[in-house]
Amino acid sequence: MSFRTTTATDYVEDVSPGSGALPPRARYASSDAKSLSLNGSWRLRVSATADAEDDSFAAEGYDAGGWAEVTVPGHWVLQGHGSPIYTNHLYPFPVDPPRVPTENPTGDHLRTFDLPSEWPSDGGAVLRFDGVESCARVWLNGTDIGEFKGSRLPHEFAVGHLLKPGGNVLAVRVHQWSAGSYLEDQDQWWLPGIFRDVTLLHRPPGSVLDFFVHASYDHVGGAGTLRVDSDVDGRVTVPALDIDVATGESVTVPVEPWTAERPYLYEGLLTTEGERVPLRIGFRTVELADDLIKVNGKAILLKGVNRHEWHPEQGRALDLETMREDVLLMKRHNINAVRTSHYPPHPAFLDLCDEYGLWVIDECDLETHGFTEQAWRDNPVDDDRWTPALLDRAARMVERDKNHPSVIIWSLGNEAGTGRGLTAMAEWIHGRDRSRLVHYEGDINCRDTDVYSRMYAGHAEVERIGRGEDGGTHRRRGLPFILCEYGHAMGNGPGGLADYQRLFESYDRLQGGFIWEWIDHGIRDERYGFAYGGDFGEELHDGNFVCDGLLFPDRAPSPGLIEYKKVIEPISMTDSDGSVGSVLVTNKHDFADLSAFVFQWSYQVDGETVESGTLTVPPLAPGESADVKLPAPPVESDGAESQWTVRALLAADTAWAPAGHVIAWAQFPVAARPLPSVSALTGPVLGERRITLGPASFDARTGELKSIGAVDVTGLRLDVWRATTDNDDGASWQTDVRFGLLWRKLGLHRMRHRLDGVELSEDALTVRTRVAPAAWEIGLATVYRWTSDGERLRLTVSVKPEGDWTVPLPRLGIRFGLDASADRVKWFGGGPGEAYPDTKSASLLGRWESTVDALQTPYVRPQENGARADVRWAQLGGLRIDGDPEFWFTARHWTSEQLDAATHRADLTQGDTMWVNLDHGQHGIGSQSCGPGPLPQYFLNAEPTEFSFVFSETPEPN
């Protein structure tokens, strides 16, 4: 006979959501009732197990003077006590639900506080925790008031009877692991602690309990209907609308509706006998109509991101200004929607979404992804014992956030399989709030949900879905489709966004999607710059998969975010069919006309603007287009390349960007670029050790270029290798083909260069080589042909594949070294940032200037980066290089091999040589770190190719 001893910590492994907490209710930011923030400096003691210490620390008079000090909100592992752990979906402990390891880091937190002198003596008080990971037990003045799970959810306790004027002792025991951890297996760092606000709220007699603001909008009549249901009787006033009604009563008046494009909020007030609560009311109606998601009678197109909460020093303990920075960055980059992956955010974030205008899918704090390793056996969402915890999580999300107009869809959670518990959650949410839709990607047949949602479906499948050719259940075929995750933004990428957006805009059923994800979760670290999984000695980890955002950890926009902004522009400008000198302007907004924008034109000759002006565009309604006439070209091109650039800018300051902020742009060629030509006026001269040809000298034996005038050149030769990107190395759900692994298997990172001949003719120096990897019969027959007119030097490279090339090439071009002291670069081509074949929508043709360091894109894990596309000419290190045709240009202080070997930015150090790549072609990027690889049209297939460069000496850029 065996038995398990009952202990004081059994609640840790209890599947229930906890005990002692008050029922969930709406959260509001402020009222005229008193409140006291308990954020700040707390005492902390960390123990190795849940039961290592008794609860005597919670008693009044306990001396914690020898304990450490930590900041709340915060995570103790980011404040010098233990280490973070990163896993994508694997549980970092044995899977034996609901049991957790004996080794269970436990943080005892202590805080003493006095009540303010003006704290009222009547009524009660509530102690609120907005977020604690993952399980907490709470004592106030020595009294055990309860325990709870649900890390990213609020919990309140009635404590008025326990308070005293001074010397109150608040004790909180936080366990890193609990039964709740099985429900919180989201792709993120495991970070224990009290990481959101702790607040004491006075509750006067007759104060507000729970309330629900119902504010619908009739788009036909232009009227809004307001009803505020409240657990405590009171009155609702909205001065701007002349509303003064009792709670529970409906009133209908003409209103301005709330949308993400025009987030009109009315200031109101809920007044009960004991409290006055400010309301911010947005009138809008969300419905499933005509098989589409509609708001205020119009189908919307979601241009969204998935947003984990993250700060590189504070983890998930975000302050208001960091949250505001996120929202402003989203708005400035044309993003209109957020999925709060994979938990409800800090409530202040939703206040900001209401204020600035973002559609929100609010997601429950639920993911059981690790159960995929056992084919979902014992999955809590299909185990009735866990259903109360699931319903508690759903209720705490819905009740907290139900008064936010920005929230248009509730999500049951993420990657939790399927089961009865999810059905129970959906039924409860549908019953509680019929003014919003319900989402869950894992419900493939849409039994419980109102939206057909998928992750990382490839372009072809998305188009089949748009056409209604995807099959599925009858219910699913009649639902709108969104990609709740796509465009995996890990490292260099994501590629293919423009191709997705064309599909979204072509088929009504496709209502957009959400890029995975908003920000890299790198942790600032002295050793690495930014650390990722494995840098803290984790037993299990998923490496830099935690760095997969459109922002770098310090919130600097990545090239992926710049690309996304361009792809999702709400105004398009294209060539008018058959109208020379006209632009077809189309308003792609769902609700706003173009009255808030001004349009400007500029005219460039060889990349330099020679004149600019204002373009008159009518205030087009959503979906409308107009042909707009451009002025006559202000100058003759005289054999130079010329083009128009048209921009749409904010006409006046807004809450989220200043006047002049660029919303959209387009370029239109006028005169094509004349290709560079070099007449072979001089021939090669053979000396004892050198061959001279015009301004250049070559090794007489190998034909290797040594100098062009006074500029020394090192190691010029064909190059096909790039430091593999996260997407090159990744394996998507659609294919097991990993290009990076195939390239390495074939040895493309270690190509050998065989010299087959050096030939001098009357007008050219020709060097014949074969470039091939050891162990394989494939190769590239490569011929370098040099000619000169006496001042300039032309190189023509001819490449012919030999053998059976079964994979595309990473890149194809030449590489060479220059003196590293030449640090300034100028070029005429795409910029200002990097671009690749399927990530170059945002590449603006013009003249640009940079340092070599600034050309690098600081991906947390170093990889191929920094290429500028469509380059006509580049100037660096005393050389000017013109391309025939245009080329990709890259310059670095390290080789591709050094870049490939680096695991962190700190591994890269400047040497004596600047390495330059001039590429005729690059393989596409895709998003195969989790999504589909590059589309076939972006493959760099091995095939006969010829390209040329013209070199000439020039003064170094200043």
Side-chain angles (χ1 to χ4, degrees), residues 504-791:
F504 296 157
E505 295 176 4
S506 298
Y507 300 96
D508 290 343
R509 187 189 184 191
L510 307 180
Q511 293 199 252
F514 298 80
I515 298 296
W516 185 268
E517 65 163 300
W518 177 236
I519 187 169
D520 286 345
H521 301 193
I523 295 176
R524 198 178 297 278
D525 184 273
E526 291 183 0
R527 299 164 296 172
Y528 305 119
F530 291 109
Y532 50 76
D535 289 338
F536 298 96
E538 300 101 306
E539 179 184 20
L540 291 174
H541 67 85
D542 286 289
N544 68 311
F545 202 68
V546 76
C547 294
D548 48 10
L550 293 171
L551 296 181
F552 296 118
D554 59 2
R555 281 182 162 72
S558 76
L561 181 57
I562 306 304
E563 175 80 356
Y564 193 41
K565 175 188 177 180
K566 174 62 180 170
V567 164
I568 59 175
E569 287 173 342
I571 303 169
S572 77
M573 292 167 281
T574 58
D575 282 313
S576 298
D577 292 337
S579 299
V580 178
S582 292
V583 177
L584 180 66
V585 179
T586 302
N587 182 4
K588 292 185 177 181
H589 288 90
D590 293 324
F591 298 94
D593 64 24
L594 297 189
S595 59
F597 305 98
V598 293
F599 291 77
Q600 294 180 350
W601 61 264
S602 59
Y603 191 77
Q604 289 85 38
V605 176
D606 277 346
E608 291 192 302
T609 296
V610 296
E611 196 166 331
S612 60
T614 300
L615 196 64
T616 301
V617 176
L620 301 170
E624 287 187 344
S625 299
D627 280 318
V628 179
K629 191 74 173 174
L630 289 166
V635 296
E636 293 292 334
S637 297
D638 293 329
E641 182 174 10
S642 58
Q643 66 182 15
W644 297 100
T645 300
V646 181
R647 294 177 173 88
L649 309 92
L650 289 177
D653 291 347
T654 68
W656 48 271
H661 172 75
V662 177
I663 296 294
W665 59 267
Q667 294 186 307
F668 308 97
V670 177
R673 165 195 178 225
L675 294 176
S677 64
V678 175
S679 299
L681 300 179
T682 184
V685 177
L686 177 62
E688 182 178 348
R689 307 183 69 174
R690 288 284 187 267
I691 299 170
T692 59
L693 177 61
S697 70
F698 301 81
D699 184 282
R701 183 179 63 86
T702 64
E704 180 183 351
L705 178 67
K706 291 299 183 180
S707 64
I708 300 175
V711 179
D712 292 333
V713 180
T714 302
L716 187 149
R717 61 186 186 179
L718 190 79
D719 192 17
V720 300
W721 180 248
R722 72 185 188 194
T724 53
T725 68
D726 291 313
N727 290 305
D728 291 336
D729 291 334
S732 74
W733 297 2
Q734 289 79 25
T735 177
D736 290 328
V737 176
R738 300 189 183 201
F739 290 111
L741 271 61
L742 289 175
W743 293 337
R744 291 185 198 276
K745 180 180 178 181
L746 284 177
L748 301 190
H749 60 309
R750 50 175 176 79
M751 299 290 272
R752 307 285 181 87
H753 296 253
R754 186 184 75 203
L755 178 62
D756 288 342
V758 178
E759 303 170 3
L760 282 69
S761 66
E762 183 176 330
D763 62 354
L765 167 65
T766 302
V767 180
R768 301 185 185 278
T769 69
R770 187 174 190 269
V771 183
W776 300 93
E777 63 179 0
I778 60 170
L780 300 169
T782 305
V783 178
Y784 308 90
R785 187 173 189 271
W786 300 92
T787 56
S788 177
D789 61 5
E791 294 184 357

Side-chain angles (χ1 to χ4, degrees), residues 50-108:
D51 57 359
E53 302 285 350
D54 60 28
D55 59 9
S56 60
F57 80 103
E60 297 178 78
Y62 184 88
D63 182 7
W67 291 16
E69 288 190 55
V70 293
T71 298
V72 170
H75 307 277
W76 72 69
V77 295
L78 296 183
Q79 299 185 59
H81 307 279
S83 298
I85 299 170
Y86 168 62
T87 60
N88 169 27
H89 76 279
L90 296 173
Y91 289 105
F93 48 79
V95 178
D96 184 21
R99 306 294 302 280
V100 295
T102 300
E103 297 80 20
N104 187 357
T106 295
D108 290 333

